[in-house]
Amino acid sequence: MKQRAPLTLAAVAAALAALTGVASLTAPAAAGGAGGGEAAAATRMPVERSLLVCPAPSSSDIADTTYTAFTPRAAGSAEGKGSARLLGATKDAKPVLEPKETGKPFGATASGADAPALTGSADGTLAPGWTAQLTTQVSVGRARGLLGAGCTAPGTDFWFPAVSTAKGREDYVHLTNPDDAAAVVDIKLFGPDGVAKPEAGTGENIRIDPKSSKSVLLSSLIPGSQLADATAHVTTRAGRVGASVQVAEEGVGADWLSAATDPAGSVVMPGIPADAASVRLVAFVPGEEDADLRIRLAAPGGSITPAGSEQLHVKAGMTASMDLKDVTRGEAGSLVLTPADPKKAAPVVAAVRVVRGSGAKQELAFVQAAGPVGARATVADDRTDENATVLALTVPGDKDAKVRVTASPGTGGGDAASQEVTVKAGTTQVVAVAPAGGKGSYALTVETLSGGPVHAARTLSLPHEGIAMFTVQTLSDDHSTVSVPKAAQDLSVLTR
């Protein structure tokens, strides 16, 4: 064996210098600048890259789709370098939309059934809070209605309560793979009796090729079995996808059902329209313990318990539903589900199916359980038409909240407008903020200033031939900043 040569004084000095350099980059700063070793508080920095996925808008030849993308302008920030683009989820696809600056919405349109699913990324100054929305209007046919969906970050686990395989319903799960490697997806359906046994080989190992999308008809997974109310669970074995459910109901309309927020003991479905003619609640418990849920409606005047619908019992692994009829009774409200016994808080997922109108003039939409807006949240493609946009803010807890609502300039011009609003605990408040002299579509940004937490949803209404066509999108924290620990020189690492 060779004998190792002794280190020279120069080599030791060089090693110490190298270690000192590493320490200055990686070691935590000591408290008060001394050598105590307590880590300095982390700072929050803007994210440098954001990724979004949008489903294919429609299979109708008469569909008209608008894409809108927007990045909020941070207060006091200077414009810097950044880029963003949405492009078709196909190899060598050309950009559909390329925003150029923050604080201003950018739009594009598409017609017919050939509009593809989209993937997109933003970096630099356009990344923090980057938001995109697709809005599709179909005037006639089985899938007629106003269909709205916020584009989302790809993931690996999605819950969709309120799906159905009943006669007259067509529910398609749209799966989009933004990456360069194939994704493999499983879909499970849970009805009132538990997991539904799928047709052999239909719900597992669904391959989504790189840079592509695929839609799966839920009723094809369990042919011959009709579930009026069900929950779909989409997971990936490999890769990640964007997932949304497109619903078309005979004689009632069509819309997108977005994934519910992660299972939790208490959930909020914000912004149910004031004139809802029918509200149906669907909930599911993914764990092993049953859930007894207290039902409350956070209305403008405070929280109330719907008469005859005080509680919902949900068995573990099963889907439960309740018809709440016209629970809002002329005032926009939010459904809040909490454990009847706080010591027994089984996590749940939930959503509501909302219908406006009657007879042949009905139209449906969905409101899924949503997380709070957090520091900041944005929804794009708000319209300046009279009564087209309604923003509902709710505080389900016992602490009032103060928020700032900002309307961007419109795609056709106008000046940004801002308003600070106090939302009382246990209430839902409707706020109207629009750009001054604005034309076209604009974006709404909600920032929590104090109190809360605050939940929010935007209802977009575009009536057509007497049908109150509408869609509801919830707002969630845009996670535009990340925690970055501070680093400073610490020579004590050399003696550890």
Side-chain angles (χ1 to χ4, degrees), residues 87-123:
L87 62 161
T90 57
K91 293 182 178 180
D92 303 322
K94 295 181 179 180
V96 172
L97 190 58
E98 292 188 276
K100 301 296 184 183
E101 60 184 283
T102 63
K104 178 182 178 181
F106 289 79
T109 59
S111 298
D114 296 329
L118 303 181
T119 65
S121 62
D123 57 36

Side-chain angles (χ1 to χ4, degrees), residues 75 402-406 418-421 445-449:
K402 187 175 183 180
V403 303
R404 180 188 295 115
V405 181
T406 302
S418 184
Q419 179 181 342
E420 290 190 2
V421 181
T445 298
V446 179
E447 299 170 272
T448 303
L449 302 179

Side-chain angles (χ1 to χ4, degrees), residues 294-323:
R294 179 188 175 201
I295 301 174
R296 290 182 298 135
L297 178 72
S303 291
I304 61 174
T305 300
S309 304
E310 295 83 4
Q311 288 193 16
L312 177 66
H313 179 73
V314 189
K315 295 183 179 180
M318 302 181 186
T319 297
S321 59
M322 178 178 287
D323 187 1

